[in-house]
RNA sequence: GCCGGUGUAGCUCAACGGUAGAGCAACGGUUUUGUAAACCGUAGGUUGUAGGUUCGAUUCCUAUCACCGGCUCCA
């Protein structure tokens, strides 16, 4: 028997007999490691412990302490769930069951039974039973693929048969779940990796059931998906479940009712937002920021109509590419389209003048309200609506100016998100299968975006084939206060529209050339961004955005006159203030202002304050912060507002 | 659009074949309060909408609309 050399993470080399597995390696290192080993990494791949080692393999053994092992735990738990479901519903056909970001799911096709929330506890207890059996997961290479496909088909496992057919040349493997006597109880076509056995599975929770198309294609059958999660221990699981609860409390649709922010009415239609005064105030502040910041950064602000003749959309190509999302309005002779995008209008503004390379870039910005006919099931609160206002801008520039322009936008986005205390992740989406323009331009554009990101030293992920049909794009995923991500700003390159509209500028050599066009939004849409902000702040907007900044609370009726003076002075200083002179108890008024309305400052005043010509200040989340003269208080909050303090 | 769930007072929920009830909010009164809910009372609903079954429907059935969890799509 010959020896092989294994490289351990510390760089040391260990000699092992040929044919040994990762598990043997773990045992040879220490008993404790062997007991705690969940999986391993060989090279770049996470593998099961049963994997046979090869000479020169770089091996890292994973325990529950290594972040990479969590996906293995979840994947194995998903197999246990599939096994439990098949035990309870023998007719259930298995589709796929991967680990996902915060847990895992498994898709089933169960004839004659529709899973509901009530089934989840039953499945969970069956899983508990299986886990207690201390089952092992063993990996087998499928030698005779065709025979196995036939077997799957005979069992009715049509989805597994389809998957195996597809992966027949990838040396497919089968994971068999066995009890302690070695009896095979369950098997699943699976690439792995898996835990050695179920003893690691200690904390899991089934979350919800949902429909999902087989392979994500809406032409395929709809399967039943069970979402679940698993962690190494109950503490982590509970923490995650608390997080879900916290997220639910922050739901902008719930907070909308409590804080009187917006509503959607049947009489108007779904996906159309009524902005109540409170949210309109937040929007006004944000629009003010948006306008002044655009001026500073060399943008010109424009306004364009809400509809245009069909002809315009024929030229832009939207009539063919975007038709199902457009609303048409028929006048006696002419057909109009409610604008789903602002770009064609900005292009026509470009066309109104002649440009040279010296007068570019031209940056046109608009808070442009667009209407898109969304599929009914897609609508959601403020996040997905039919009518919304994009903080849209289009930049027309020369190829030489492109990278600087992209960098400037990245700066703008970065600067803006910092104001809201939001972090972000960046994704670059490249050429899709269906695209317009020539590949050469596409390659250049993708390279340009990459360069711009490199100059800024920004880390990003690449979404192959996820670009728009007219150009590649950079997306910014906002991370809110509790770590959830939201689609926010995007920068899209466009070679298509400038050509369709035959846009020109005169270059330094006198020749006429076609400019490059950039589409970009910073917030995305006012609606979606407000939704994100509400959840980010859990409804407790910072002072500069708060619909009501200060509540004035006189303790008894005899203090009303003084309170009125305080109120008038604050109002005069441009503060959004409310005088609460109802004959309710002071405690009631404080509680309502802070808890229900989330007002940042409550000013309480009684005999003492009148005597000293002061106000007693209570800050949201901080409690009483002392007595201030009114001027000192105004000065303090004016500074906070100006600095947009969080 | 698709799969599943849910629609009861302004809000949160109860009743589930016998004709709808509570808390908060609102309104009226009492209380005049010292840092997160004073007390008493009044009013408020063709139970999402339209059909059907039934002596009788909020409850059962059908259709439809909206919302929720997802899939797909997307700012």
């Amino acid at each position: 028997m010959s020896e092989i050399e294994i490289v351990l993470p510390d760089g040391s080399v260990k000699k092992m007999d040929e044919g040994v597995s990762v598990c043997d390696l773990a045992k040879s290192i220490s008993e404790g490691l062997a007991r705690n080993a969940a999986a391993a990494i060989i090279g770049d791949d996470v593998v099961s412990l049963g994997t046979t080692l090869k000479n020169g393999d770089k091996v890292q053994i994973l325990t529950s302490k290594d972040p990479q092992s969590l996906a293995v735990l979840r994947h194995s738990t998903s197999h246990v769930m599939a096994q439990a479901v098949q035990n309870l519903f023998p007719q259930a056909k298995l589709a796929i069951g991967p680990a996902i970001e915060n847990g895992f799911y498994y898709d089933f096709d169960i004839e004659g039974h529709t899973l509901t929330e009530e089934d989840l506890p039953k499945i969970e207890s069956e899983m508990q039973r299986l886990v207690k059996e201390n089952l092992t997961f063993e990996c087998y290479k499928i030698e005779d693929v065709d025979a196995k496909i036939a077997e799957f088909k005979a069992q009715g496992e049509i989805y597994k048969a389809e998957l195996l057919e597809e992966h027949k040349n990838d040396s497919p493997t089968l994971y068999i779940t066995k009890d302690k006597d070695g009896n095979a109880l369950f098997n699943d076509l699976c690439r792995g990796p898996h835990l050695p056995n179920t003893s690691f599975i200690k904390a899991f929770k089934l979350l919800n059931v949902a429909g999902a198309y087989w392979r994500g294609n809406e032409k395929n059958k709809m399967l039943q998906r069970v979402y679940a999660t698993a962690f190494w221990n109950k503490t982590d699981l509970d923490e995650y479940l608390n997080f879900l609860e916290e997220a639910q409390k922050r739901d902008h649709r719930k907070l909308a009712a409590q804080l009187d922010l917006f509503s959607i009415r049947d009489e108007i239609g779904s996906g159309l937002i009524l902005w109540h005064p409170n949210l309109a105030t937040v929007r006004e502040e944000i629009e003010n920021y948006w306008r002044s910041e655009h001026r500073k950064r060399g943008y010109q602000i424009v306004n364009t109509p809400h509809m245009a003749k069909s002809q315009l959309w024929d030229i832009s190509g939207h009539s063919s590419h975007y038709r199902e999302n457009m609303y048409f309005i028929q006048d006696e002779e002419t057909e109009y389209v409610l604008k789903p995008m602002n770009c064609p209008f900005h292009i026509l503004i470009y066309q109104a003048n002649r440009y040279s390379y010296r007068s570019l870039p031209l940056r046109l910005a608009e808070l442009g309200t667009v209407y898109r006919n969304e599929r009914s099931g897609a609508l959601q609160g403020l996040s997905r609506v039919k009518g919304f206002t994009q903080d849209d801008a289009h930049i027309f520039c020369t190829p030489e100016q492109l990278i600087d322009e992209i960098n400037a936008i990245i700066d703008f986005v970065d600067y803006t998100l910092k104001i809201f205390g939001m972090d972000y992740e960046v994704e670059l989406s490249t050429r899709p299968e269906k695209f317009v323009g020539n590949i050469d331009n596409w390659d250049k554009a993708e390279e340009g975006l990459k360069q711009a990101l490199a100059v800024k030293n920004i880390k990003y992920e690449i979404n192959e084939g996820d670009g728009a049909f007219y150009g590649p794009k950079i997306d910014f995923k906002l991370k809110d206060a509790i770590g959830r991500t939201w689609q926010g700003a995007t920068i899209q390159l466009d070679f298509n529209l400038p050509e369709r509209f035959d846009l020109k500028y005169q270059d330094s050599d006198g020749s006429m050339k076609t400019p490059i066009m950039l589409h970009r939004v910073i917030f995305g849409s006012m609606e979606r961004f407000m939704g994100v902000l509400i959840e980010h702040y859990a409804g407790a907007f910072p002072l500069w955005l708060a619909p009501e900044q200060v509540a004035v609370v006189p303790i008894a009726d005899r203090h009303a006159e003084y309170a009125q003076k305080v109120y008038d002075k604050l109002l005069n200083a441009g503060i959004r203030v409310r005088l609460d002179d109802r004959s309710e108890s002071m405690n009631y008024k404080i509680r309502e202002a802070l808890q229900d309305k989330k007002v940042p400052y409550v000013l309480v005043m009684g005999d003492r304050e009148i005597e000293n010509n002061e106000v007693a200040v209570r800050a949201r989340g901080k409690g009483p912060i002392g007595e201030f003269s009114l001027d000192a208080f105004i000065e303090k909050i004016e500074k906070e507002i100006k600095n947009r303090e969080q």
Side-chain angles (χ1 to χ4, degrees):
Chain A
M1 188 178 282
S2 56
E3 282 196 328
I4 56 171
E5 292 190 338
I6 303 301
V7 184
L8 299 177
D10 62 3
S12 66
V13 173
K14 197 166 174 70
K15 291 192 193 309
M16 301 285 293
D17 291 335
E18 192 174 11
V20 300
S21 67
V22 181
C23 192
D24 298 321
L25 173 67
K27 279 181 198 152
S28 79
I29 295 171
S30 87
E31 191 63 28
L33 183 61
R35 202 168 42 242
N36 291 313
I41 299 179
I42 299 181
D44 295 326
D45 300 325
V46 179
V47 300
S48 302
L49 294 179
T51 308
T52 305
L53 292 166
K54 295 193 300 291
N55 191 35
D57 275 349
K58 285 183 184 163
V59 182
Q60 182 192 352
I61 294 177
L62 300 176
T63 67
S64 62
K65 292 195 174 69
D66 300 292
Q68 301 96 322
S69 61
L70 191 54
V72 179
L73 168 74
R74 287 170 173 168
H75 190 182
S76 295
T77 312
S78 116
H79 273 225
V80 174
M81 182 165 81
Q83 187 178 352
V85 167
Q86 276 199 328
N87 286 352
L88 296 170
F89 307 99
Q91 78 277 30
K93 295 170 189 158
L94 306 180
I96 54 166
I100 52 176
E101 194 184 350
N102 291 311
F104 62 91
Y105 66 79
Y106 213 111
D107 286 347
F108 305 100
D109 180 0
I110 309 175
E111 209 179 306
H113 183 83
T114 303
L115 291 175
T116 63
E117 303 278 326
E118 279 123 58
D119 291 315
L120 298 185
K122 292 179 213 159
I123 300 171
E124 263 179 18
S125 50
E126 176 65 5
M127 288 171 70
Q128 298 287 10
R129 191 184 69 77
L130 292 170
V131 165
K132 275 199 201 115
E133 301 271 314
N134 198 9
L135 309 174
T136 55
F137 297 103
E138 292 180 23
C139 176
Y140 292 88
K141 187 170 186 312
I142 300 175
E143 302 293 347
D144 188 342
V145 172
D146 291 328
K148 190 65 196 176
I149 292 174
E151 192 190 325
F152 274 139
K153 282 186 178 158
Q155 290 168 343
E157 292 285 6
I158 48 176
Y159 305 101
K160 290 295 173 191
E162 187 179 325
L163 288 172
L164 182 51
E165 182 72 42
E166 203 167 300
H167 292 287
K168 65 197 311 181
N169 299 320
D170 306 337
S171 53
T173 53
L174 202 64
Y175 272 81
I176 301 184
T177 310
K178 292 184 176 174
D179 66 16
K180 51 184 176 297
D181 302 323
N183 300 311
L185 299 182
F186 174 79
N187 73 77
D188 198 352
L189 171 71
C190 182
R191 181 165 44 139
H194 280 287
L195 300 168
N197 58 62
T198 58
S199 70
F200 292 85
I201 301 175
K202 289 171 181 145
F204 62 88
K205 172 92 182 151
L206 306 196
L207 298 171
N208 53 359
V209 288
Y213 299 108
W214 167 234
R215 324 215 83 180
N217 185 330
E218 61 185 312
K219 294 196 176 71
N220 290 339
K221 182 164 185 180
M222 176 130 322
L223 307 174
Q224 302 183 46
R225 175 171 296 180
V226 179
Y227 281 96
T229 194
F231 289 87
W232 290 110
N233 55 62
K234 193 161 179 312
T235 314
D236 288 355
L237 175 65
D238 287 346
E239 191 183 315
Y240 178 69
L241 295 177
N242 283 340
F243 161 81
L244 291 181
E245 231 173 89
E246 172 66 17
Q248 234 169 27
K249 275 190 224 146
R250 286 168 177 255
D251 189 318
H252 69 275
R253 295 163 300 192
K254 279 192 181 161
L255 288 169
Q258 186 191 329
L259 300 169
D260 194 15
L261 298 175
F262 70 92
S263 59
I264 301 168
R265 294 285 302 253
D266 283 0
E267 296 90 320
I268 299 174
S270 58
L272 299 165
I273 305 298
L274 289 171
W275 294 68
H276 295 10
N278 287 338
L279 193 61
T281 301
V282 180
R283 176 172 173 166
E284 184 189 340
E285 286 295 341
I286 286 177
E287 287 188 359
N288 289 344
Y289 161 78
W290 187 90
R291 289 201 182 85
S292 72
E293 202 59 34
H294 275 75
R295 298 269 182 224
K296 283 184 201 161
R297 291 169 187 267
Y299 286 80
Q300 293 172 283
I301 292 173
V302 299
N303 291 294
T304 66
H306 283 202
M307 61 185 211
K309 288 196 272 189
S310 296
Q311 186 196 345
L312 177 69
W313 309 100
D314 293 341
I315 301 171
S316 70
H318 288 99
S319 295
S320 48
H321 276 99
Y322 210 69
R323 187 167 203 90
E324 57 185 24
N325 286 298
M326 303 197 307
Y327 287 105
F328 294 89
I329 299 170
Q330 188 65 45
D331 152 331
E332 274 177 35
E333 279 158 25
T334 318
E335 185 183 60
Y336 289 88
V337 173
L338 220 41
K339 71 171 169 181
M341 295 187 183
N342 302 301
C343 5
F345 297 90
H346 293 183
I347 287 172
L348 296 192
I349 292 174
Y350 178 95
Q351 281 184 338
N353 287 297
R354 307 281 291 169
Y355 298 92
S356 82
Y357 73 103
R358 283 194 231 238
S359 52
L360 294 182
L362 178 73
R363 308 184 189 94
L364 300 179
E366 175 180 14
L367 290 165
T369 304
V370 298
Y371 293 90
R372 300 182 185 175
N373 191 359
E374 298 291 346
R375 303 169 85 175
S376 59
L379 300 173
Q380 199 202 49
L382 290 175
S383 315
R384 194 72 186 277
V385 291
K386 285 180 177 168
F388 56 99
T389 301
Q390 293 181 300
D391 64 315
D392 211 354
H394 296 93
I395 297 167
F396 303 88
C397 66
T398 70
E400 294 75 28
Q401 296 163 339
L402 183 63
I403 290 182
D404 282 346
E405 286 305 307
I406 295 169
N407 277 331
I409 299 168
I410 294 173
D411 271 343
F412 196 169
V413 173
D414 183 75
Y415 178 82
T416 302
L417 295 182
K418 280 207 174 85
I419 288 174
F420 298 97
M422 278 194 268
D423 212 349
Y424 59 86
E425 288 165 2
V426 176
E427 290 178 4
L428 173 67
S429 297
T430 59
R431 191 180 65 238
E433 280 175 37
K434 261 181 70 183
F435 67 96
V436 295
N438 67 63
I439 290 194
D440 199 37
N441 271 347
W442 271 89
D443 290 344
K444 266 192 239 161
E446 285 172 11
E447 200 42 52
L449 290 176
K450 282 180 190 168
Q451 270 181 40
L453 289 166
V455 168
K456 293 261 134 216
N457 205 11
I458 290 174
K459 277 191 197 148
Y460 60 94
E461 277 188 28
I462 294 186
N463 278 342
E464 287 302 343
D466 218 26
F469 70 89
Y470 48 78
K473 60 175 181 173
I474 297 175
D475 286 321
F476 292 78
K477 304 269 179 199
L478 312 186
K479 284 182 88 171
D480 75 11
I482 56 173
R484 294 171 301 174
T485 60
W486 307 81
Q487 169 66 48
T490 95
I491 306 172
Q492 306 184 350
L493 241 78
D494 190 345
F495 326 110
N496 180 41
L497 286 176
E499 276 178 18
R500 278 179 170 268
F501 282 89
D502 195 29
L503 300 186
K504 293 288 179 223
Y505 69 94
Q506 189 166 27
D507 208 352
S508 53
D509 61 2
S511 66
M512 299 307 284
K513 291 186 176 162
T514 303
I516 295 178
M517 182 176 174
L518 282 168
H519 306 247
R520 60 105 271 213
V521 286
I522 304 288
F523 297 128
S525 73
M526 299 312 286
E527 285 72 8
R528 184 175 283 179
F529 191 70
M530 291 300 146
V532 174
L533 274 193
I534 293 166
E535 307 214 0
H536 177 60
Y537 291 124
F541 292 103
L543 186 66
W544 74 285
L545 293 174
E548 189 178 313
Q549 296 170 311
V550 177
V552 173
V553 174
I555 291 173
D557 288 349
R558 65 177 180 279
H559 310 125
E561 197 186 329
Y562 181 73
Q564 181 72 45
K565 267 171 35 197
V566 170
Y567 168 82
D568 288 341
K569 197 154 179 198
L570 286 165
L571 194 66
N572 248 306
I575 306 296
R576 294 188 289 271
V577 58
R578 180 174 55 99
L579 174 60
D580 190 352
D581 55 2
R582 298 174 296 174
S583 14
E584 294 286 351
S585 72
M586 175 198 66
N587 280 336
Y588 177 86
K589 291 193 263 194
I590 290 173
R591 184 185 161 95
E592 187 194 63
L594 292 172
Q595 182 169 292
D596 297 348
K597 300 193 171 174
K598 304 193 188 296
V599 180
Y601 287 106
V602 179
L603 303 186
V604 179
M605 55 213 63
D607 296 335
R608 285 206 298 272
E609 285 72 24
I610 293 174
E611 181 155 338
N612 300 329
N613 202 24
E614 286 176 344
V615 289
V617 182
R618 189 181 177 109
R620 183 184 62 199
K622 289 187 189 145
I625 58 168
E627 285 75 40
F628 290 70
S629 77
L630 190 52
D631 287 337
F633 175 70
I634 290 176
E635 196 182 322
K636 167 184 161 61
I637 64 174
E638 276 180 340
K639 187 165 153 256
E640 281 175 33
I641 291 168
K642 188 166 165 280
N643 295 335
R644 301 194 187 96
E645 281 177 30
Q646 290 292 306

